[in-house]
Amino acid sequence: VQLQASGGGLVQPGGSLRLACAASGSIFGTNIMGWYRQTPGKQRGLVATIDSEGITDYASFVEGRFTISRDGAKNTVYLQMNSLKPNDTAVYYCRMFTFLSSREYWGQGTLVTVSS
């Protein structure tokens, strides 16, 4: 399974970005997909997850600003980020965990920079 993330870039505070992560390869059974982020010197941390049934979970710092969604037919997960703040600046990674094989896969990361 390969994950290809896209959509990062430079945005001003208060702006919006939409990240996308497309999964390809042999994907069997149910899975959970999510977004994590990492800044220099810190551990990678959860942003949001969504499972095969569409149940979502968000980190507390999201505060209603981000929305995770998925297109099952395309095996793609999205992260709509609104009201971005400078401290949202990070490399964002997508992840898939497949329950049948108990394996996780990571995308290559996409940089989000929030700055004026």
Side-chain angles (χ1 to χ4, degrees):
V1 175
Q2 292 185 328
L3 303 180
Q4 181 68 44
S6 61
L10 174 64
V11 63
Q12 292 187 342
S16 298
L17 278 177
R18 188 192 194 207
L19 306 182
C21 177
S24 60
S26 301
I27 302 169
F28 300 103
T30 57
N31 58 73
I32 186 166
M33 297 186 75
W35 291 95
Y36 295 72
R37 70 185 191 183
Q38 187 172 24
T39 55
K42 293 189 177 181
Q43 289 188 331
R44 194 174 299 183
L46 170 72
V47 177
T49 61
I50 184 167
D51 68 13
S52 299
E53 297 182 353
I55 296 173
T56 60
D57 185 34
Y58 294 92
S60 59
F61 65 77
V62 169
E63 299 173 328
R65 300 180 296 129
F66 300 174
T67 302
I68 189 170
S69 60
R70 65 188 292 169
D71 183 332
K74 297 180 180 179
N75 284 321
T76 300
V77 63
Y78 304 96
L79 185 69
Q80 177 67 43
M81 303 187 293
N82 300 325
S83 302
L84 283 162
K85 305 174 183 179
N87 59 7
D88 291 318
T89 296
V91 178
Y92 284 72
Y93 296 88
C94 61
R95 172 185 181 264
M96 173 186 281
F97 177 82
T98 57
F99 291 100
L100 188 63
S101 60
S102 295
R103 294 188 65 177
E104 67 173 7
Y105 306 90
W106 289 92
Q108 84 283 10
T110 185
L111 177 61
V112 172
T113 303
V114 184
S115 175
S116 56

